[in-house]
């Protein structure tokens, strides 16, 4: 599993991690699947207080019990809770459900109505208290990102987690370059379009030639840029195992060109990132 620097944090994180949205449906299988992922190097775990209204954080807590040191653990505060005090209380609730005393990264799930400066103040407070190691944002477009960097100062925003799959490459126009400019890692969520992904012909052809499944080719494409990471969610062990294999797959320039042609990045738009 390739690891790469996570923005300017100085920490190396696996390029392929594990999402956890909707993982609450089969708790025992979810725990086994996550642990299988850890064994294969997918130790970047993305969760959120919102997922299963806290139930998913409890599942993640069970999966990381006894293995906390192996894991880069990320959770998120919903914007409604992201006031100065609300963020701190939400983080403490997440820590209890996860059975840990600190998060590796804590994100604002999407831009909301509480002043961003308050959320940042709470994140910095939590960092000083050792409850989070670093913080970031999610679903921030270029303008939102410029604003959070302006308020927080350089080098404070670890990542921006955004929608990114072959059918939705909007971030490549402005968000990804802005993240790169500011040393912010780009974590692509829903890399399989939330399960709607159907491997098209060009991926099948590349996959056959490389002896790799088409979804590995898709993940390799989405992580071809050195600031990007992907966090597919898989409740089934066979899927976990397949996804982990993408962490060692490097596409050639010609393969990238063919995929780029088949799935064009679309028209540039600066504002309002698409979300699922
Ligand atoms: P996704 O990862 O694009 O797709 C998940 C679906 O793909 C599941 O149905 C899964 O099936 C299936 N799948 C996974 N690997 C597969 C494989 N190798 N072969 C066939 N099917 C496979 O969708 P997502 O859950 O929306 O996104 C991933 C993660 O990103 C989330 O879980 C969450 O952590 C994060 N996310 C963040 C935001 C945000 O606003 N920040 C929004 C959405 C998602 P099984 O489960 O049956 O294995």
């Amino acid at each position: 599993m390739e690891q790469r620097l996570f923005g300017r944090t100085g920490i190396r994180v696996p390029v392929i991690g594990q999402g956890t949205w909707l993982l609450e449906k089969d708790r025992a299988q979810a725990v086994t699947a996550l642990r299988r992922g850890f064994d294969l190097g997918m130790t970047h775990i993305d969760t959120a207080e919102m997922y299963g209204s806290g139930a998913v954080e409890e599942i993640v807590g069970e999966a990381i019990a006894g293995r906390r040191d192996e894991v880069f653990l990320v959770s998120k505060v919903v914007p409604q809770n992201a006031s100065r005090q609300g963020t701190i209380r939400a983080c403490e609730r997440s820590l209890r459900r996860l059975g840990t005393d600190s998060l590796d990264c804590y994100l604002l799930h999407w831009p909301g109505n509480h002043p961003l400066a308050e959320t940042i103040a709470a994140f910095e407070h939590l960092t000083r208290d050792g409850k989070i190691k670093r913080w970031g944002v999610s679903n921030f477009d270029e303008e939102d990102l410029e604003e959070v960097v302006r308020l927080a100062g350089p080098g404070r925003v670890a990542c921006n987690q955004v929608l990114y799959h072959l059918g939705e490459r909007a971030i490549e126009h402005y968000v990804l370059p802005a993240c790169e400019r500011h040393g912010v890692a780009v974590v692509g969520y829903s890399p399989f379009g939330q399960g709607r992904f159907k491997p098209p012909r060009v991926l099948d052809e590349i996959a056959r030639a490389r002896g790799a499944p088409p979804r590995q080719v898709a993940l390799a494409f989405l992580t071809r840029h050195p600031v990007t990471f992907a966090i597919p969610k898989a409740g089934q062990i066979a899927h976990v195992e397949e996804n982990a294999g993408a962490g060692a797959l490097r596409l050639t320039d010609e393969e990238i060109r063919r995929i780029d042609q088949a799935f064009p990045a679309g028209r540039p738009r600066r504002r309002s990132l698409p979300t699922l």
Side-chain angles (χ1 to χ4, degrees), residues 18-23 29 46-48 50-51 76 107 109-110 138-139 161-163 165 188-197 215-216 219 231-240 242-243 275-276:
Q18 302 191 78
T20 64
W21 189 22
L22 303 178
L23 206 55
Q29 183 176 299
D46 177 71
T47 191
M50 191 183 91
Y51 298 167
K76 316 184 195 78
L107 312 184
H109 209 143
W110 62 89
S138 177
N139 297 301
Q161 189 182 115
V162 285
L163 178 64
H165 57 79
Y189 71 70
S190 303
F192 301 138
Q194 220 193 332
R196 288 190 284 267
F197 176 79
R215 281 183 180 76
Q216 284 185 6
L219 290 174
I231 46 166
K233 172 261 179 184
Q236 298 181 49
I237 305 225
H239 293 165
V240 168
E242 183 170 300
N243 298 343
T275 49
L276 268 179

